[in-house]
Amino acid sequence: MIKKVSIIIRTKNEERWIASCLKKVFSQTYKNIEVIIVDNCSTDKTLKKLRDFDVKTITVKDFFPGKAINDGIRVSTGEIIVCLSGHCI
């Protein structure tokens, strides 16, 4: 059985990078993935750009990098976890 991978991506005003990041994530040959965006109350167009992708989004107000990752992991369903930031391509 192919293991499911949960990709947790932290964002805060990543409108410049998030579409490129997600295009690269979804262009991988490994397809058994879920993408979870943990957004820190972005005020730019980050959230609008997410509408073009099959992602689950959660919002955190009190942002700490480790806590954001843990929040993403809590809602994940994959057996393998990958952590990225919204500007990673």
Side-chain angles (χ1 to χ4, degrees), residues 10-27:
R10 296 177 291 135
T11 60
K12 169 72 175 187
N13 295 330
E14 298 286 357
E15 100 177 76
R16 179 176 175 195
W17 301 107
I18 194 63
S20 296
C21 174
L22 291 171
K23 284 177 187 174
K24 291 295 184 182
V25 166
F26 286 107
S27 71

PDB file of all heavy atoms in Angstrom, residues 10-27:
ATOM      1  N   ARG A  10       3.341  26.372   6.205  1.00  0.00           N
ATOM      2  CA  ARG A  10       3.060  27.563   7.014  1.00  0.00           C
ATOM      3  C   ARG A  10       3.057  28.794   6.110  1.00  0.00           C
ATOM      4  O   ARG A  10       3.936  28.934   5.256  1.00  0.00           O
ATOM      5  CB  ARG A  10       4.133  27.747   8.091  1.00  0.00           C
ATOM      6  CG  ARG A  10       4.163  26.636   9.107  1.00  0.00           C
ATOM      7  CD  ARG A  10       5.280  26.830  10.113  1.00  0.00           C
ATOM      8  NE  ARG A  10       6.571  26.644   9.448  1.00  0.00           N
ATOM      9  CZ  ARG A  10       7.619  27.441   9.592  1.00  0.00           C
ATOM     10  NH1 ARG A  10       7.575  28.491  10.380  1.00  0.00           N
ATOM     11  NH2 ARG A  10       8.733  27.192   8.965  1.00  0.00           N
ATOM     12  N   THR A  11       2.080  29.682   6.306  1.00  0.00           N
ATOM     13  CA  THR A  11       2.017  30.905   5.509  1.00  0.00           C
ATOM     14  C   THR A  11       1.711  32.122   6.370  1.00  0.00           C
ATOM     15  O   THR A  11       1.033  32.031   7.383  1.00  0.00           O
ATOM     16  CB  THR A  11       0.938  30.813   4.406  1.00  0.00           C
ATOM     17  OG1 THR A  11      -0.333  30.608   5.000  1.00  0.00           O
ATOM     18  CG2 THR A  11       1.240  29.713   3.413  1.00  0.00           C
ATOM     19  N   LYS A  12       2.215  33.239   5.922  1.00  0.00           N
ATOM     20  CA  LYS A  12       1.891  34.568   6.458  1.00  0.00           C
ATOM     21  C   LYS A  12       2.242  35.545   5.344  1.00  0.00           C
ATOM     22  O   LYS A  12       3.423  35.794   5.058  1.00  0.00           O
ATOM     23  CB  LYS A  12       2.696  34.879   7.730  1.00  0.00           C
ATOM     24  CG  LYS A  12       2.606  36.328   8.187  1.00  0.00           C
ATOM     25  CD  LYS A  12       1.251  36.664   8.761  1.00  0.00           C
ATOM     26  CE  LYS A  12       1.271  38.090   9.315  1.00  0.00           C
ATOM     27  NZ  LYS A  12       0.061  38.413  10.028  1.00  0.00           N
ATOM     28  N   ASN A  13       1.229  36.039   4.661  1.00  0.00           N
ATOM     29  CA  ASN A  13       1.437  36.991   3.566  1.00  0.00           C
ATOM     30  C   ASN A  13       2.444  36.465   2.529  1.00  0.00           C
ATOM     31  O   ASN A  13       3.425  37.109   2.219  1.00  0.00           O
ATOM     32  CB  ASN A  13       1.866  38.351   4.110  1.00  0.00           C
ATOM     33  CG  ASN A  13       0.773  38.989   4.939  1.00  0.00           C
ATOM     34  OD1 ASN A  13      -0.406  38.764   4.707  1.00  0.00           O
ATOM     35  ND2 ASN A  13       1.155  39.767   5.925  1.00  0.00           N
ATOM     36  N   GLU A  14       2.160  35.293   2.002  1.00  0.00           N
ATOM     37  CA  GLU A  14       3.027  34.635   1.018  1.00  0.00           C
ATOM     38  C   GLU A  14       2.470  34.734  -0.398  1.00  0.00           C
ATOM     39  O   GLU A  14       2.750  33.887  -1.240  1.00  0.00           O
ATOM     40  CB  GLU A  14       3.218  33.161   1.388  1.00  0.00           C
ATOM     41  CG  GLU A  14       3.893  32.927   2.701  1.00  0.00           C
ATOM     42  CD  GLU A  14       5.384  33.196   2.693  1.00  0.00           C
ATOM     43  OE1 GLU A  14       5.945  33.521   1.623  1.00  0.00           O
ATOM     44  OE2 GLU A  14       5.997  33.090   3.758  1.00  0.00           O
ATOM     45  N   GLU A  15       1.693  35.767  -0.690  1.00  0.00           N
ATOM     46  CA  GLU A  15       1.059  35.872  -2.009  1.00  0.00           C
ATOM     47  C   GLU A  15       2.081  35.816  -3.145  1.00  0.00           C
ATOM     48  O   GLU A  15       1.790  35.289  -4.211  1.00  0.00           O
ATOM     49  CB  GLU A  15       0.177  37.120  -2.096  1.00  0.00           C
ATOM     50  CG  GLU A  15       0.766  38.306  -2.799  1.00  0.00           C
ATOM     51  CD  GLU A  15      -0.194  39.466  -2.908  1.00  0.00           C
ATOM     52  OE1 GLU A  15      -0.405  40.166  -1.907  1.00  0.00           O
ATOM     53  OE2 GLU A  15      -0.726  39.680  -4.004  1.00  0.00           O
ATOM     54  N   ARG A  16       3.273  36.303  -2.914  1.00  0.00           N
ATOM     55  CA  ARG A  16       4.305  36.313  -3.960  1.00  0.00           C
ATOM     56  C   ARG A  16       4.769  34.895  -4.311  1.00  0.00           C
ATOM     57  O   ARG A  16       5.138  34.630  -5.448  1.00  0.00           O
ATOM     58  CB  ARG A  16       5.490  37.156  -3.485  1.00  0.00           C
ATOM     59  CG  ARG A  16       6.619  37.211  -4.477  1.00  0.00           C
ATOM     60  CD  ARG A  16       7.722  38.124  -3.998  1.00  0.00           C
ATOM     61  NE  ARG A  16       8.849  38.073  -4.920  1.00  0.00           N
ATOM     62  CZ  ARG A  16      10.041  38.521  -4.653  1.00  0.00           C
ATOM     63  NH1 ARG A  16      10.293  39.075  -3.483  1.00  0.00           N
ATOM     64  NH2 ARG A  16      11.012  38.425  -5.527  1.00  0.00           N
ATOM     65  N   TRP A  17       4.747  33.978  -3.345  1.00  0.00           N
ATOM     66  CA  TRP A  17       5.366  32.666  -3.528  1.00  0.00           C
ATOM     67  C   TRP A  17       4.413  31.481  -3.527  1.00  0.00           C
ATOM     68  O   TRP A  17       4.741  30.423  -4.077  1.00  0.00           O
ATOM     69  CB  TRP A  17       6.391  32.423  -2.413  1.00  0.00           C
ATOM     70  CG  TRP A  17       7.463  33.442  -2.362  1.00  0.00           C
ATOM     71  CD1 TRP A  17       7.615  34.429  -1.416  1.00  0.00           C
ATOM     72  CD2 TRP A  17       8.532  33.627  -3.280  1.00  0.00           C
ATOM     73  NE1 TRP A  17       8.721  35.193  -1.694  1.00  0.00           N
ATOM     74  CE2 TRP A  17       9.305  34.720  -2.836  1.00  0.00           C
ATOM     75  CE3 TRP A  17       8.915  32.960  -4.445  1.00  0.00           C
ATOM     76  CZ2 TRP A  17      10.429  35.161  -3.521  1.00  0.00           C
ATOM     77  CZ3 TRP A  17      10.035  33.403  -5.123  1.00  0.00           C
ATOM     78  CH2 TRP A  17      10.781  34.497  -4.656  1.00  0.00           C
ATOM     79  N   ILE A  18       3.258  31.596  -2.892  1.00  0.00           N
ATOM     80  CA  ILE A  18       2.458  30.411  -2.589  1.00  0.00           C
ATOM     81  C   ILE A  18       2.004  29.649  -3.832  1.00  0.00           C
ATOM     82  O   ILE A  18       1.997  28.413  -3.830  1.00  0.00           O
ATOM     83  CB  ILE A  18       1.268  30.742  -1.647  1.00  0.00           C
ATOM     84  CG1 ILE A  18       0.664  29.459  -1.079  1.00  0.00           C
ATOM     85  CG2 ILE A  18       0.228  31.600  -2.343  1.00  0.00           C
ATOM     86  CD1 ILE A  18       1.588  28.645  -0.217  1.00  0.00           C
ATOM     87  N   ALA A  19       1.634  30.329  -4.889  1.00  0.00           N
ATOM     88  CA  ALA A  19       1.198  29.616  -6.097  1.00  0.00           C
ATOM     89  C   ALA A  19       2.348  28.794  -6.679  1.00  0.00           C
ATOM     90  O   ALA A  19       2.156  27.633  -7.061  1.00  0.00           O
ATOM     91  CB  ALA A  19       0.650  30.589  -7.136  1.00  0.00           C
ATOM     92  N   SER A  20       3.544  29.367  -6.728  1.00  0.00           N
ATOM     93  CA  SER A  20       4.709  28.623  -7.234  1.00  0.00           C
ATOM     94  C   SER A  20       5.023  27.432  -6.340  1.00  0.00           C
ATOM     95  O   SER A  20       5.338  26.339  -6.828  1.00  0.00           O
ATOM     96  CB  SER A  20       5.932  29.533  -7.322  1.00  0.00           C
ATOM     97  OG  SER A  20       5.725  30.548  -8.263  1.00  0.00           O
ATOM     98  N   CYS A  21       4.939  27.633  -5.046  1.00  0.00           N
ATOM     99  CA  CYS A  21       5.174  26.550  -4.090  1.00  0.00           C
ATOM    100  C   CYS A  21       4.198  25.403  -4.329  1.00  0.00           C
ATOM    101  O   CYS A  21       4.602  24.238  -4.455  1.00  0.00           O
ATOM    102  CB  CYS A  21       5.041  27.084  -2.663  1.00  0.00           C
ATOM    103  SG  CYS A  21       5.141  25.829  -1.369  1.00  0.00           S
ATOM    104  N   LEU A  22       2.922  25.726  -4.412  1.00  0.00           N
ATOM    105  CA  LEU A  22       1.913  24.688  -4.574  1.00  0.00           C
ATOM    106  C   LEU A  22       1.985  24.018  -5.942  1.00  0.00           C
ATOM    107  O   LEU A  22       1.751  22.812  -6.063  1.00  0.00           O
ATOM    108  CB  LEU A  22       0.523  25.261  -4.311  1.00  0.00           C
ATOM    109  CG  LEU A  22       0.272  25.626  -2.847  1.00  0.00           C
ATOM    110  CD1 LEU A  22      -1.029  26.394  -2.697  1.00  0.00           C
ATOM    111  CD2 LEU A  22       0.281  24.390  -1.970  1.00  0.00           C
ATOM    112  N   LYS A  23       2.309  24.763  -6.980  1.00  0.00           N
ATOM    113  CA  LYS A  23       2.479  24.145  -8.304  1.00  0.00           C
ATOM    114  C   LYS A  23       3.575  23.088  -8.256  1.00  0.00           C
ATOM    115  O   LYS A  23       3.429  22.011  -8.842  1.00  0.00           O
ATOM    116  CB  LYS A  23       2.812  25.206  -9.353  1.00  0.00           C
ATOM    117  CG  LYS A  23       1.622  26.031  -9.770  1.00  0.00           C
ATOM    118  CD  LYS A  23       2.011  27.114 -10.749  1.00  0.00           C
ATOM    119  CE  LYS A  23       0.843  28.042 -11.025  1.00  0.00           C
ATOM    120  NZ  LYS A  23       1.229  29.180 -11.872  1.00  0.00           N
ATOM    121  N   LYS A  24       4.665  23.376  -7.573  1.00  0.00           N
ATOM    122  CA  LYS A  24       5.755  22.403  -7.447  1.00  0.00           C
ATOM    123  C   LYS A  24       5.315  21.202  -6.613  1.00  0.00           C
ATOM    124  O   LYS A  24       5.623  20.060  -6.961  1.00  0.00           O
ATOM    125  CB  LYS A  24       6.998  23.044  -6.831  1.00  0.00           C
ATOM    126  CG  LYS A  24       7.671  24.042  -7.740  1.00  0.00           C
ATOM    127  CD  LYS A  24       8.218  23.361  -8.968  1.00  0.00           C
ATOM    128  CE  LYS A  24       8.981  24.349  -9.820  1.00  0.00           C
ATOM    129  NZ  LYS A  24       9.486  23.752 -11.058  1.00  0.00           N
ATOM    130  N   VAL A  25       4.606  21.445  -5.532  1.00  0.00           N
ATOM    131  CA  VAL A  25       4.131  20.344  -4.691  1.00  0.00           C
ATOM    132  C   VAL A  25       3.244  19.403  -5.503  1.00  0.00           C
ATOM    133  O   VAL A  25       3.415  18.185  -5.490  1.00  0.00           O
ATOM    134  CB  VAL A  25       3.374  20.882  -3.455  1.00  0.00           C
ATOM    135  CG1 VAL A  25       2.587  19.776  -2.769  1.00  0.00           C
ATOM    136  CG2 VAL A  25       4.351  21.530  -2.481  1.00  0.00           C
ATOM    137  N   PHE A  26       2.291  19.971  -6.238  1.00  0.00           N
ATOM    138  CA  PHE A  26       1.345  19.149  -6.987  1.00  0.00           C
ATOM    139  C   PHE A  26       1.921  18.583  -8.279  1.00  0.00           C
ATOM    140  O   PHE A  26       1.303  17.711  -8.891  1.00  0.00           O
ATOM    141  CB  PHE A  26       0.055  19.924  -7.247  1.00  0.00           C
ATOM    142  CG  PHE A  26      -0.800  20.066  -6.021  1.00  0.00           C
ATOM    143  CD1 PHE A  26      -0.909  21.284  -5.371  1.00  0.00           C
ATOM    144  CD2 PHE A  26      -1.475  18.975  -5.498  1.00  0.00           C
ATOM    145  CE1 PHE A  26      -1.693  21.412  -4.230  1.00  0.00           C
ATOM    146  CE2 PHE A  26      -2.262  19.092  -4.356  1.00  0.00           C
ATOM    147  CZ  PHE A  26      -2.371  20.308  -3.725  1.00  0.00           C
ATOM    148  N   SER A  27       3.101  19.033  -8.696  1.00  0.00           N
ATOM    149  CA  SER A  27       3.720  18.483  -9.906  1.00  0.00           C
ATOM    150  C   SER A  27       4.598  17.268  -9.611  1.00  0.00           C
ATOM    151  O   SER A  27       5.119  16.639 -10.527  1.00  0.00           O
ATOM    152  CB  SER A  27       4.536  19.554 -10.631  1.00  0.00           C
ATOM    153  OG  SER A  27       5.713  19.860  -9.902  1.00  0.00           O
TER     154      SER A  27
END
